[in-house]
Each structure stands twice: as structure tokens, then as C-alpha cells.
């Protein structure tokens, strides 16, 4: 059964402070509700709605799963205005999955033009797009399958956690991801069969090497559309993280260990098309670290990028370094709560800002872990150019996040309209 809740006071981007959060609370509070699909008008800005899911009232009750944008490949007027319209730019840039729709009505050259225009608007990084007809592709590509859909062998960490999916620009009902270098991959009835891989180490209490796992994520082929699971890292003994990967967005949040927990410390689920399961398993096995001399724990030498990264954070007055992490190449930091004439942000706002910032940075393949309000970064294996990439991305994305949070209306939204 599908229930629809219609907001009565205008478009979502105008009413997100008023009845949007209350409407979401009403839906996720019902028995049996697992997925929430939000369809906005064609001119909406996705940003405020994405931020609303980080409000204290919704945090822990629902999770933003994917932002999907539809692009009409057959409409030359749409393609010509894609970079000129602020609404279109915001929708394309915010998307985790882009549907290049109506390919049956478009010439092959038009589809290629649409792909290039989308990549130009997104300004680099991975462009995750699918060519489709009437948006018909496997829902597993954009909706976290119900308890793994049976395909991925997935058991949610807590049954009360609902999934949330935001959709922009029309009837987005499906999606597909890719890396630019791989070209378009068709979906729908003519697409490739969906498959999944569930990986658990041979020893239930095995941990992963953090730097190796992040390199694994960075090098994932375009055939991998989603990733999720539980991970534990040898450099952070006793801590367990729940991670989600969809499109470009990666989040890994520390979770509280359950009393008497007997499940494997590491469970990685990958979903995609025509997966090279054997190859992916070999790469994941290479991430397993059962030795005491984990490279992630190795010390730093003079001129090591860890020191440069730490110095970069110290020099940027928007951030503050957190407590020392238990491995030498780890750096924990977060946004400050005080910004001069802009005043002081309360702890809930600061934590929401850090989570938003970490998610934005992942779109540059700059991965981190979240533990409460702290962003944890592993610097092992970094090169000087990697530190510069972090500096450039932090400069750009921190400005965006703080610009949103400093606005009183945005602060009200983050507090849940209270």
C-alpha cells in the first residue's frame, strides 16, 4: 500500500520550515512504513529539504538515501538551458543519481550532449547517470532494498530506522550510476541484470585497514551502484561504523555496539550490474587486517602529509582540532560553534553542519568517518597533492554549509521548527 501526504501551503522549498518536518514525522510514525519518497515541483531547490533530514527531530528516525534528478534528453530547450537556469543547476548538482530520460525519443547525439552538459554543470568528479525510457530501471538502484530485498542479505541495524529518498524534477521512480569514463549504461527492460555481493571476513571479529578500505571505495567500478554495511577498523579498536554509499555520497557513522552482539564485525554489501564478484571479493580481502603491524598505525615522519593536514586545519579558524585519535595518521576535527559577528551556533547546529560537510566532501572522493560531531580523517598514504585537494574542497564546501547555517531560517529548520 502506498500512502500520499500532500502539503497544503505551497511548494516544499517554501514550507520546509513549517509543515514539512511535521509531515515527515507523521509518515514515519506509522506502522509498517519503511520508505519515504518525496516528489517536489520542477523548480524546487533540493538543498533545504536535504538539510531538513539532519534536524534533531528527524535524526535517528530517517536517513536521506538518494537524491534523484530527471533530465529530459529529448528536449533541446532543456539541454540548452541546463547551465543557465539556477533551479536546474541546483537540481543536477544535488543529485546522487541522474536519470537521462526519454532516450527513445532522442537521437544518440542528444543523449551524449545531455551527458556532457550534466558533467559540465556538476564540475568534475563522478557523474552517476543512467539512460532510460519512462524512468524504468530496477528500483534497487535508487531505493535501499527492503531488508536487502533478499538480494543483498541485509538486516537493518535497528528496525525503527526508516529510509528516506528525495526526488526532484518529476516522477523519478528509478536510477542508475556510472563513472564518466565508462560511458552510458542503459537501464529499464533492456538493461543489465541486477546482482549483489555480500562480503564477510573468514574470522567474525576481523577488522579492515581504514586507508585500504577508502582506496577500495575510491576505485570502485561504475558497475557498483550501491554499497552499505557495517565496518570496524584496526586503527579504531572497539568502534563500529555503519556506512552507506549511493552515487557519489558516502557516509560512515559510528554506532553504539549492541549488548551481547554476535554478528560479524564487518559486513559489506555491494549492489550493481554485472558485478565482478570474484575481483571485488579479492580487493575486500586485501582490506582485511588481522596483523598487529597495521600500516594505519605507523608513525609519522618529518614532512609527512599528516602534519601538513593537521597544520591546515589549525590555520583555518573555521575549524578546531579534536582529541588525539588512537593512531598517528588520524586527524579529528570539526567546525567551530562561534563565527564572530555571525554569533554562536548551538551544538545541534554544529553537528548537523559537520555531517553535511562530510557528505559533501565525499563527492570529491574525500572520505571520512563521523563520530558524533567529529570528522575523522585518515592521512596514511596521502600525498601533498591530496592535502591540497582537501584544502580546495574544504574551502568551497565549508562556505556553502556555513552560508546555509548562518541564515536564521535555516537554523530554525535544523532545530526542527521548534
Amino acid at each position: 500500500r502506498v500512502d500520499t501526504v500532500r502539503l497544503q501551503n505551497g511548494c516544499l522549498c517554501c514550507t520546509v520550515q513549517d509543515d514539512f518536518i511535521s509531515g515527515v514525522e507523521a509518515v514515519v510514525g506509522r506502522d509498517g512504513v519503511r520508505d519515504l519518497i518525496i516528489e517536489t515541483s520542477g523548480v524546487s531547490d533540493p538543498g533545504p529539504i536535504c538539510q531538513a533530514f539532519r534536524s534533531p527531530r528527524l535524526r535517528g528516525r530517517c536517513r536521506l538515501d538518494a537524491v534523484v534528478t530527471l533530465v529530459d534528453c529529448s528536449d533541446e530547450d532543456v539541454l540548452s538551458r541546463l547551465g543557465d537556469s539556477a533551479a536546474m543547476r541546483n537540481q543536477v548538482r544535488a543529485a546522487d543519481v541522474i536519470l537521462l530520460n526519454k532516450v527513445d525519443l532522442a537521437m544518440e547525439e542528444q543523449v551524449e550532449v545531455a551527458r556532457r552538459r550534466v558533467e559540465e554543470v556538476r564540475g568534475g568528479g563522478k557523474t552517476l547517470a543512467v539512460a532510460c525510457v519512462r524512468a524504468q530501471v530496477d528500483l534497487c538502484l535508487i531505493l535501499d532494498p527492503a531488508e536487502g530485498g533478499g538480494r543483498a542479505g541485509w538486516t537493518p541495524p535497528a528496525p525503527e530506522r526508516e529510509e528516506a529518498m528525495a526526488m526532484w524534477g518529476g516522477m523519478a521512480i528509478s536510477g542508475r550510476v556510472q563513472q564518466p569514463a565508462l560511458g552510458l549504461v542503459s537501464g529499464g527492460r533492456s538493461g543489465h541484470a541486477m546482482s549483489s555481493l555480500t562480503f564477510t571476513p573468514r574470522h567474525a571479529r576481523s577488522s579492515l585497514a581504514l586507508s585500504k578500505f577508502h582506496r577500495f571505495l575510491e576505485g570502485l567500478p561504475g558497475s557498483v551502484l550501491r554499497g552499505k554495511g557495517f565496518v570496524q577498523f584496526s586503527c579504531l579498536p572497539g568502534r563500529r561504523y555503519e556506512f552507506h554509499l549511493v552515487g557519489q555520497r558516502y557516509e560512515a557513522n559510528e554506532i553504539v555496539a549492541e549488548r551481547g552482539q554476535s554478528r560479524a564485525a564487518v559486513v559489506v554489501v555491494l549492489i550493481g550490474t554485472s558485478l565482478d564478484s570474484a575481483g571485488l571479493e579479492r580487493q575486500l580481502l586485501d582490506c582485511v587486517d588481522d596483523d598487529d603491524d597495521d600500516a594505519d598505525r605507523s608513525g609519522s615522519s618529518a614532512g609527512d602529509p599528516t602534519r601538513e593536514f593537521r597544520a591546515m586545519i589549525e590555520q583555518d579558524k573555521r575549524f578546531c582540532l579534536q582529541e588525539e585519535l588512537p593512531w598517528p595518521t588520524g586527524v579529528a576535527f570539526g567546525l567551530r560553534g562561534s563565527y564572530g559577528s555571525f554569533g554562536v551556533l548551538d551544538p545541534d547546529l554544529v553537528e548537523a553542519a559537520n555531517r553535511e560537510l562530510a557528505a559533501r566532501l565525499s563527492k570529491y572522493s574525500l572520505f571520512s568517518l563521523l563520530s558524533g560531531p567529529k570528522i575523522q580523517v585518515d592521512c596514511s598514504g596521502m600525498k601533498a597533492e591530496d592535502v591540497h585537494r582537501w584544502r580546495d574542497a574544504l574551502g568551497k564546501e565549508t562556505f556553502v554549509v556555513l552560508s546555509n547555517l548562518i541564515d536564521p531560517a535555516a537554523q530554525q529548520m535544523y532545530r526542527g521548527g521548534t
Side-chain angles (χ1 to χ4, degrees):
R1 185 167 63 92
V2 178
D3 292 335
T4 301
V5 175
R6 186 182 298 274
L7 301 183
Q8 302 298 325
N9 298 324
C11 69
L12 279 176
C13 58
C14 301
T15 64
V16 70
Q17 298 172 62
D18 302 318
D19 60 344
F20 172 69
I21 292 178
S22 296
V24 172
E25 286 181 316
V27 172
V28 301
R30 300 177 183 177
D31 291 337
V33 174
R34 184 183 181 280
D35 296 301
L36 174 62
I37 298 175
I38 300 170
E39 180 190 355
T40 72
S41 70
V43 296
S44 294
D45 181 356
I49 304 175
C50 292
Q51 294 169 9
F53 281 102
R54 302 189 186 280
S55 74
R57 282 169 57 184
L58 297 183
R59 189 183 307 145
R61 301 188 64 190
C62 55
R63 174 180 59 81
L64 179 64
D65 185 47
V67 178
V68 181
T69 296
L70 278 76
V71 175
D72 186 346
C73 294
S74 68
D75 192 327
E76 293 185 359
D77 181 57
V78 168
L79 298 180
S80 65
R81 294 189 296 113
L82 196 58
D84 300 327
S85 164
M88 290 183 181
R89 288 198 305 271
N90 290 339
Q91 292 169 8
V92 169
R93 289 171 179 169
D96 299 305
V97 180
I98 296 175
L99 276 69
L100 302 180
N101 200 29
K102 298 186 180 180
V103 296
D104 57 327
L105 304 178
M107 301 292 291
E108 196 172 313
E109 294 80 5
Q110 286 178 289
V111 179
E112 180 62 23
V113 167
R115 183 187 66 82
R116 289 200 306 267
R117 295 303 305 274
V118 165
E119 290 180 356
E120 291 170 0
V121 170
R122 291 173 69 83
K126 295 179 181 178
T127 297
L128 313 171
V130 55
C132 55
V133 177
R134 296 187 179 181
Q136 293 186 21
V137 291
D138 198 314
L139 283 175
C140 290
L141 301 177
I142 53 173
L143 281 176
D144 202 2
E147 296 189 6
R151 303 183 184 188
W154 174 256
T155 301
E160 71 275 11
R161 291 188 184 178
E162 308 297 340
E163 306 298 339
M165 176 178 174
M167 291 183 166
W168 320 110
M171 291 297 292
I173 61 171
S174 54
R176 171 68 214 263
V177 302
Q178 84 171 61
Q179 292 182 359
L182 299 179
L184 291 174
V185 182
S186 296
R189 297 188 180 95
S190 61
H192 301 287
M194 289 285 296
S195 60
S196 64
L197 162 69
T198 300
F199 171 82
T200 56
R202 183 175 294 105
H203 302 294
R205 307 318 302 167
S206 292
S207 298
L208 302 181
L210 178 57
S211 59
K212 290 183 178 180
F213 183 66
H214 281 173
R215 287 197 294 270
F216 166 77
L217 294 177
E218 187 173 0
L220 280 175
S223 58
V224 176
L225 311 174
R226 278 182 168 273
K228 55 186 180 179
F230 297 106
V231 285
Q232 181 171 291
F233 301 106
S234 52
C235 58
L236 289 164
R239 300 187 184 185
R240 197 164 185 243
Y241 296 81
E242 179 186 357
F243 84 90
H244 292 269
L245 174 70
V246 57
Q248 294 175 285
R249 180 157 41 84
Y250 167 80
E251 294 187 41
N253 294 281
E254 185 175 3
I255 57 176
V256 178
E258 300 173 6
R259 186 180 300 275
Q261 177 179 292
S262 59
R263 292 182 298 180
V266 175
V267 181
V268 177
V269 179
L270 301 177
I271 303 171
T273 60
S274 304
L275 295 180
D276 176 12
S277 297
L280 291 169
E281 285 183 2
R282 284 195 299 270
Q283 293 179 58
L284 284 166
L285 278 172
D286 187 56
C287 295
V288 175
D289 178 38
D290 292 319
D291 300 326
D292 292 332
D293 57 347
D294 179 10
D296 290 337
R297 302 184 193 181
S298 60
S300 299
S301 60
D304 187 89
T306 303
R307 297 183 180 181
E308 186 178 346
F309 189 96
R310 185 181 295 274
M312 174 189 69
I313 297 298
E314 286 180 319
Q315 292 167 7
D316 193 326
K317 300 306 180 184
R318 298 172 299 181
F319 301 109
C320 59
L321 285 169
Q322 305 289 346
E323 80 279 3
E324 292 286 335
L325 291 174
W327 84 103
T329 58
V331 178
F333 68 98
L335 290 162
R336 294 182 183 274
S338 177
Y339 294 95
S341 60
F342 292 112
V344 177
L345 303 180
D346 65 38
D348 282 334
L349 292 175
V350 174
E351 182 172 347
N354 282 324
R355 292 181 179 276
E356 179 70 17
L357 179 59
R360 285 177 170 272
L361 292 171
S362 71
K363 296 189 176 186
Y364 298 84
S365 293
L366 301 174
F367 302 118
S368 59
L369 304 175
L370 284 166
S371 178
K374 300 186 292 293
I375 300 174
Q376 301 170 330
V377 176
D378 177 43
C379 298
S380 62
M382 271 194 190
K383 300 178 181 178
E385 53 264 33
D386 296 321
V387 178
H388 295 319
R389 286 177 57 224
W390 274 94
R391 179 182 287 109
D392 293 342
L394 279 170
K396 177 180 178 181
E397 298 303 336
T398 303
F399 175 80
V400 174
V401 170
L402 290 180
S403 296
N404 291 334
L405 282 175
I406 287 168
D407 178 62
Q411 291 189 12
Q412 181 81 353
M413 176 188 66
Y414 267 86
R415 293 186 178 97
T418 58

